[in-house]
Amino acid sequence: MTFATDTIDLSLTNARTGKPLTASVYDVTFADGSARTMSIGQLVMAICLERATGMEADVISLMEKMADSTVNIDALAAIEKEVVERMAVSDRITMSSVTGSWEVAYVDAVTNETVTVTVSNAAQALRLLGVGESADAEQMIELIESKLDELNTNSQEQMIMLQSQTNKRDQSYEMISNVLKSVFTVLNGVVNNY
């Protein structure tokens, strides 16, 4: 959004001084190329709305990342449980023999988009989540727990970021409300003076 200041003649004269009344307006050009002339109140509201809309998109993006982390935490916890149960029978198991149906969210290297897939064995899930494979079940459990700790830490950081972004977004909407109140007060004062 870009803007330039302009002055317009209101076709009125000040009753006390006899001078013509003018007002400052702003010629605003938006990102999509559209243009509009606005008062200072409208300009401030447009800026606040643009800021709040951007923050809303950030909040949504953070919530999607948190959902992906939750999916991966659930999958790893289920895999760890399955591996522990199989360890009761044998201390030497391969991850491809640990089967189930788990959803895993990962970033596709080609498209750089987050993809959620259902995998049928632990080896696939662990590979997608960046956990190295090992023939030793105890070592595998340690790797899974390490990845779970990392994901839980990331989830906590994302929650703090989400709270911060939500607060900033709410402040932007509150600022719009305050501007509207101020504009109403000024206009009410102008009407009362005439």
Side-chain angles (χ1 to χ4, degrees):
M1 174 186 322
T2 60
F3 58 91
T5 307
D6 198 4
T7 303
I8 60 170
D9 182 2
L10 297 176
S11 299
L12 297 169
T13 54
N14 185 317
R16 293 184 189 122
T17 64
K19 294 182 181 179
L21 293 175
T22 60
S24 292
V25 293
Y26 302 87
D27 298 320
V28 180
T29 305
F30 295 96
D32 64 0
S34 63
R36 183 170 170 201
T37 300
M38 299 180 162
S39 68
I40 186 69
Q42 291 170 320
L43 178 63
V44 170
M45 285 188 289
I47 291 169
C48 292
L49 267 174
E50 184 177 58
R51 181 174 180 241
T53 302
M55 288 182 186
E56 189 74 34
D58 292 344
V59 166
I60 291 168
S61 175
L62 277 169
M63 291 174 78
E64 288 170 350
K65 287 179 185 174
M66 290 176 69
D68 293 341
S69 293
T70 301
V71 164
N72 291 340
I73 288 169
D74 292 346
L76 282 173
I79 291 168
E80 181 184 26
K81 180 181 176 207
E82 187 71 26
V83 171
V84 169
E85 287 174 2
R86 289 185 183 233
M87 275 181 59
V89 178
S90 171
D91 62 345
R92 194 117 177 107
I93 57 173
T94 61
M95 289 301 107
S96 57
S97 69
V98 180
T99 58
S101 180
W102 301 290
E103 278 193 5
V104 175
Y106 69 98
V107 177
D108 186 300
V110 176
T111 63
N112 206 23
E113 302 267 330
T114 301
V115 179
T116 303
V117 295
T118 301
V119 296
S120 58
N121 71 56
Q124 291 173 326
L126 297 174
R127 189 169 40 258
L128 290 173
L129 294 173
V131 179
E133 290 188 53
S134 171
D136 180 35
E138 286 184 16
Q139 188 180 17
M140 200 67 234
I141 288 174
E142 287 178 23
L143 289 171
I144 291 171
E145 286 179 353
S146 172
K147 188 66 176 182
L148 277 169
D149 288 344
E150 178 187 327
L151 287 172
N152 281 321
T153 300
N154 287 345
S155 290
Q156 290 170 354
E157 290 171 0
Q158 288 169 341
M159 180 58 79
I160 292 168
M161 288 172 56
L162 179 64
Q163 288 171 338
S164 173
Q165 281 301 109
T166 302
N167 288 341
K168 288 177 184 177
R169 180 204 57 193
D170 292 347
Q171 287 171 353
S172 292
Y173 286 127
E174 188 176 323
M175 188 179 293
I176 294 167
S177 175
N178 291 340
V179 168
L180 283 170
K181 287 177 189 174
S182 297
V183 167
F184 175 77
T185 302
V186 168
L187 291 175
N188 205 20
V190 168
V191 169
N192 289 336
N193 285 335
Y194 278 94

